[in-house]
């Protein structure tokens, strides 16, 4: 699109360059595409039998597929906070979902922490957040307060309708700090805005290619989070292609395929602008798919909200600027907030000395990751009658996984090497292993407990 609002152009042009001269070693542009509730088994490059995601398949063929990555949480806000801060969700102040109703909101992004946009901005990047934010509705926790130079998107947790964009009757769509009322399906709007942004950044650099300011684009889609609402023409096409498919599943298939089409529109525009060799593109999901909404996480057990791997395993692709790595796979076991540490290193930015995230740059260089003993820690706090404001946790160390799926049920223990689908609880058979993981879990809880997760009293 070339009908970028004048205000958008003025906002971009009026921001001074933080660094003007990188020379021949200018770092790459960085794009992080994060989608909402996309299941591990709902992309065709990972074997989905009844849907096609040709553009994500192409991205996988052009990049590195990470086969053993997990989200930082089983729900939205904590994963996004971890990605923004490079710290575990409770250490970022967001152990649960930030909602538009204060009485049911379980996180507050710590104002004391630098974000990925802050760190890249200090290294000379222009940073934009487009799409879903879900880390705060007002200062000091809107995108422009947390290091981003530009914001065009949705502040809230979810949309009640992808065309009205309202949540509880309230409009959370913004251009910068201004409330806007765009027309159209949110997935298509976010794609249009992302295309406008990269086109404008490219236009600003014309004639000064050696010194133009690199950009970081955080492109966050609401889809395929419920309500499952594909455009009618996409649902009709799916129903014709899959006669007899249950309507709930058909709507999800159409929704994901529509999302894939729009991601493809954005990636094609990057290519047309000559940015392929200058831009690292990462793609992932914030948690597993929602089983009640006919989303699929196969072969893993369970789904969204669960610490079984169906709630945690997510698709992840990184397309680097090195074409020799196209079509490769990595079985590194990590979390998607590792993208924060990766982008910081690629940008030559200063990392957080207390970060929990680990840079994946060695993999992007075709090398092995350094050997390390690494635990993966998960937390979710929630309200309602099932959780009553309590938190529940999981911990992975080596082959072993300790977990529970609400604050009051007994802990469970699984050996992921022998039992990857988490069918046999060994908590009683392996008491020594359970004790060691419990001791480590206590330390994580103490560290997280030092960070407030509610806003200060007004």
């Amino acid at each position: 699109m070339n009908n970028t609002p004048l205000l958008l152009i003025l906002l971009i042009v009026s921001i001074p360059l933080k660094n003007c001269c990188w020379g021949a070693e200018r770092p790459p542009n960085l794009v992080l595409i994060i989608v909402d509730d996309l299941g591990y088994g709902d992309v065709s490059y990972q074997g989905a039998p009844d849907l096609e995601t040709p553009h994500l398949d192409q991205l996988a063929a052009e990049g590195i597929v990470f086969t053993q990555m997990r989200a930082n949480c089983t729900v939205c806000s904590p994963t996004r906070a971890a990605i923004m801060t490079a710290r575990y969700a409770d250490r970022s102040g967001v152990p649960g979902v930030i909602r538009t109703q204060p009485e049911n909101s379980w996180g507050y992004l710590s104002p004391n922490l630098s974000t990925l946009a802050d760190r890249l901005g200090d290294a000379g990047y222009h940073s934009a957040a487009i799409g879903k934010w879900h880390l705060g509705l007002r200062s000091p926790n809107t995108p422009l307060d947390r290091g981003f130079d530009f914001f065009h998107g949705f502040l809230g947790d979810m949309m009640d309708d992808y065309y009205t964009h309202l949540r509880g009757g309230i409009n959370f769509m913004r251009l910068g700090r201004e409330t806007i009322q765009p027309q159209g399906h949110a997935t298509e709007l976010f794609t249009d805005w992302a295309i406008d942004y990269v086109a404008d950044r490219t236009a600003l650099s014309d004639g000064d290619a050696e010194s133009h300011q690199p950009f970081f684009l955080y492109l966050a889609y609401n889809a395929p989070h419920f309500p499952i609402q594909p455009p009618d023409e996409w649902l009709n096409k799916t129903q014709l292609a899959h006669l007899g498919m249950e309507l709930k599943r058909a709507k999800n298939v159409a929704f994901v395929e529509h999302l894939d089409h729009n991601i493809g529109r954005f990636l094609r525009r990057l290519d047309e602008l000559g940015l392929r060799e200058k831009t690292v593109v990462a793609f992932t999901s914030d948690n597993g798919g929602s089983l009640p909404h006919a989303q699929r996480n196969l072969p893993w057990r369970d789904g969204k909200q669960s610490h079984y791997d169906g709630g945690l395993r997510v698709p992840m692709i990184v397309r680097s600027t090195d074409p020799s790595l196209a079509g490769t796979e990595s079985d590194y076991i990590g979390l998607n907030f590792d993208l924060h540490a990766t982008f910081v290193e690629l940008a030559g930015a200063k990392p957080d000395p207390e970060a929990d995230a680990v840079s994946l740059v060695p993999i992007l260089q075709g090398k092995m990751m350094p050997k390390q003993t690494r635990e993966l820690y998960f937390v979710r706090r929630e309200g309602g009658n099932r959780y009553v404001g309590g938190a529940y946790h999981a911990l992975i160390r080596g082959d072993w996984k300790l977990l529970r799926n609400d604050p009051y049920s007994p802990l469970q223990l699984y050996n992921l090497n022998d039992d990857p689908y988490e069918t046999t609880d060994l908590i009683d058979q392996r008491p020594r292993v359970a004790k060691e993981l419990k001791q480590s879990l206590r330390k994580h809880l103490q560290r997280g407990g030092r960070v407030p997760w509610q806003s200060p009293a007004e």
Side-chain angles (χ1 to χ4, degrees):
M1 293 181 62
N2 276 324
N3 57 342
T4 308
L6 178 60
L7 176 59
L8 184 155
I9 298 174
L10 291 175
L11 282 170
I12 294 175
V13 174
S14 64
I15 297 167
L17 296 182
K18 299 173 185 175
N19 190 333
C20 65
C21 300
W22 289 270
E25 298 301 319
R26 186 186 65 83
N29 303 312
L30 302 169
V31 175
L32 171 52
I33 303 172
I34 182 167
V35 297
D36 202 341
D37 293 5
L38 180 66
Y40 187 94
D42 266 345
V43 286
S44 50
Y45 78 85
Q46 290 184 160
D50 58 357
L51 61 74
E52 296 181 358
T53 52
H55 302 289
L56 289 176
D57 296 354
Q58 181 178 348
L59 186 65
E62 295 168 348
I64 305 166
V65 172
F66 288 79
T67 61
Q68 298 206 58
M69 297 299 286
R70 293 174 173 88
N72 279 81
C73 188
T74 67
V75 289
C76 306
S77 295
T79 291
R80 295 161 194 269
I83 289 172
M84 279 296 139
T85 65
R87 300 194 186 192
Y88 285 120
D90 53 1
R91 294 190 66 214
S92 71
V94 189
V97 174
I98 297 173
R99 294 195 175 91
T100 53
Q101 314 97 333
E103 68 277 8
N104 197 28
S105 188
W106 304 97
Y108 181 71
L109 186 63
S110 175
N112 301 323
L113 298 180
S114 293
T115 67
L116 178 55
D118 286 320
R119 295 190 177 276
L120 296 180
D122 289 344
Y125 277 69
H126 188 276
S127 295
I130 292 177
K132 175 175 173 174
W133 176 239
H134 201 184
L135 290 175
L137 302 174
R138 58 189 62 87
S139 294
N141 279 333
T142 67
L144 297 186
D145 299 313
R146 301 312 302 261
F148 286 95
D149 300 301
F150 178 74
F151 175 56
H152 202 174
F154 179 74
L155 289 175
D157 53 346
M158 59 173 280
M159 294 176 181
D160 297 328
D161 185 287
Y162 274 76
Y163 289 95
T164 69
H165 321 126
L166 301 179
R167 175 59 164 156
I170 301 172
N171 181 3
F172 291 104
M173 281 287 207
R174 302 287 187 270
L175 173 56
R177 301 186 190 277
E178 178 188 358
T179 301
I180 56 174
Q181 295 182 317
Q183 303 297 309
H185 193 285
T187 299
E188 297 170 3
L189 290 173
F190 295 164
T191 304
D192 291 343
W193 298 344
I195 288 172
D196 288 342
Y197 173 76
V198 296
D200 287 328
R201 296 313 302 173
T202 304
L204 287 173
S205 69
D206 285 350
D208 193 15
E210 289 301 314
S211 62
H212 87 267
Q213 187 179 22
F215 63 80
F216 163 51
L217 171 58
Y218 177 70
L219 174 54
Y221 287 98
N222 282 64
H225 191 292
F226 55 86
I228 310 300
Q229 195 177 4
D232 289 343
E233 62 270 25
W234 284 82
L235 178 57
N236 293 338
K237 183 174 68 172
T238 296
Q239 290 180 309
L240 286 173
H242 300 278
L243 296 176
M245 178 180 279
E246 181 187 10
L247 178 59
K248 185 184 288 189
R249 180 61 185 167
K251 290 174 70 175
N252 191 71
V253 168
F255 207 27
V256 171
E257 292 186 347
H258 176 247
L259 172 64
D260 175 79
H261 169 76
N262 279 279
I263 291 172
R265 282 206 299 127
F266 170 74
L267 294 174
R268 182 167 59 251
R269 188 59 178 144
L270 279 183
D271 289 353
E272 292 169 353
L273 292 168
L275 296 175
R276 167 79 72 92
E277 297 177 356
K278 304 172 185 176
T279 306
V280 174
V281 177
F283 168 84
T284 191
S285 176
D286 60 357
N287 48 255
S290 173
L291 298 185
H293 296 90
Q295 295 173 334
R296 179 177 285 140
N297 305 299
L298 297 177
W300 314 112
R301 180 178 177 179
D302 216 343
K304 179 179 179 176
Q305 303 187 40
S306 171
H307 277 143
Y308 297 125
D309 265 355
L312 293 172
R313 292 265 198 155
V314 289
M316 187 166 132
I317 305 166
V318 179
R319 188 177 73 187
S320 77
T321 55
D322 182 352
S324 70
L325 296 173
T328 61
E329 290 188 352
S330 171
D331 61 0
Y332 177 73
I333 299 172
L335 298 172
N336 54 13
F337 76 160
D338 292 338
L339 291 170
H340 176 123
T342 304
F343 278 16
V344 165
E345 184 172 350
L346 289 172
K350 183 179 179 181
D352 178 357
E354 297 187 32
D356 301 301
V358 172
S359 172
L360 305 173
V361 164
I363 298 172
L364 272 59
Q365 296 173 338
K367 303 174 183 176
M368 297 291 291
M369 290 288 286
K371 288 187 177 181
Q372 57 188 326
T373 301
R374 187 185 189 192
E375 294 180 339
L376 306 180
Y377 165 64
F378 308 88
V379 56
R380 182 197 176 198
R381 187 176 291 279
E382 187 53 277
N385 289 332
R386 179 179 176 185
Y387 308 99
V388 201
Y392 58 100
H393 307 84
L395 186 75
I396 295 174
R397 181 197 290 170
D399 294 335
W400 292 99
K401 182 176 179 182
L402 184 74
L403 69 88
R404 59 181 172 185
N405 280 320
D406 65 65
Y408 311 108
S409 298
L411 286 162
Q412 303 169 34
L413 181 70
Y414 296 92
N415 185 298
L416 298 179
N417 183 61
D418 299 336
D419 180 23
Y421 308 123
E422 300 168 287
T423 62
T424 305
D425 180 8
L426 300 175
I427 195 81
D428 294 327
Q429 289 90 333
R430 301 300 298 267
R432 179 177 296 179
V433 174
K435 180 180 179 181
E436 291 175 355
L437 267 64
K438 288 177 183 178
Q439 289 173 338
S440 184
L441 183 57
R442 288 200 297 268
K443 294 178 181 178
H444 283 285
L445 295 180
Q446 288 177 325
R447 292 181 73 199
R450 300 186 186 114
V451 181
W453 49 271
Q454 291 286 282
S455 62
E458 296 181 0

